[in-house]
Amino acid sequence: EARSAVNYVGHAKELVHRLKYGSARYLAKTLSRYMLDVLLLEDWAANCITFVPMTKDAVRARGYNQAELLAKAVSKRLDLPVVSAVVKQKNTEAQKTLSRKEREQNLKGCFKVEKRPDIKGKNILLIDDVLTTGATADAVCKKLLDAGAERVFLATVASVEYKAQN
């Protein structure tokens, strides 16, 4: 299951973009409140929280992982531990210009789970900033489930409106 707090348009798009690219780390706390409005309506019974990882090089270049900041902010409000269970082990082409199929191909062999005991048998809340095609979330969820997670739920600040292909 996946839930997003808002559509990725207008001011929401601008705020997420500022969090992601504008060094506006403080926005994680504010944006997480919108996520909580949605999360508190769900009966997901998560045991822990994790986030979509970035490579070490990408974190070094940006200075932080926005999904990790969101996860930590949500963690404080839900009183759930954050587990850095998934690692992105290779740099990939930027996803924003790729189709769903190209995104899936771009992410092959990209993620691995390192802290299997911390997730085995658990219901995990996976946090990311934006849900576009779902390719990244699918790749991370599959790795968590293959590593023994019972269930994985995805929460994002925003999602891009789905437009059916003709």
Side-chain angles (χ1 to χ4, degrees):
E1 292 181 56
R3 299 290 182 269
S4 297
V6 296
N7 288 324
Y8 190 60
V9 295
H11 292 300
K13 182 176 182 178
E14 181 184 330
L15 289 173
V16 171
H17 192 270
R18 284 178 57 202
L19 169 64
K20 195 169 189 169
Y21 302 110
S23 297
R25 297 175 196 211
Y26 65 91
L27 286 173
K29 185 176 179 182
T30 301
L31 293 172
S32 72
R33 289 184 188 133
Y34 291 104
M35 295 173 74
L36 286 166
D37 288 344
V38 173
L39 291 172
L40 294 175
L41 297 175
E42 297 299 332
D43 187 22
W44 284 347
N47 306 107
C48 63
I49 298 172
T50 196
F51 51 89
V52 173
M54 295 168 55
T55 63
K56 289 179 183 178
D57 290 343
V59 171
R60 219 174 288 119
R62 183 171 294 158
Y64 59 93
N65 176 345
Q66 70 281 355
E68 182 177 10
L69 294 178
L70 290 165
K72 288 178 177 178
V74 168
S75 165
K76 286 180 184 174
R77 301 209 181 252
L78 295 181
D79 195 30
L80 291 172
V82 175
V83 178
S84 300
V86 185
V87 174
K88 187 172 182 185
Q89 54 191 0
K90 70 176 189 174
N91 290 314
T92 55
E93 184 179 339
Q95 296 277 90
K96 61 185 171 186
T97 61
L98 304 178
S99 70
R100 165 91 188 195
K101 188 170 245 174
E102 290 169 331
R103 287 170 186 239
E104 290 171 354
Q105 194 62 35
N106 192 36
L107 295 170
K108 281 208 189 254
C110 183
F111 300 110
K112 77 173 186 177
V113 174
E114 286 196 330
K115 297 184 179 177
R116 290 174 185 267
D118 291 345
I119 62 160
K120 189 166 179 59
K122 302 250 174 84
N123 293 332
I124 299 174
L125 176 58
L126 174 64
I127 301 288
D128 203 2
D129 55 353
V130 179
L131 177 64
T132 306
T133 65
T136 302
D138 282 349
V140 175
C141 286
K142 285 177 185 169
K143 289 294 181 183
L144 289 166
L145 292 168
D146 289 347
E150 185 68 28
R151 294 180 73 190
V152 181
F153 310 102
L154 173 69
T156 64
V157 173
S159 59
V160 174
E161 184 179 354
Y162 173 76
K163 294 180 182 161
Q165 302 291 329
N166 291 336

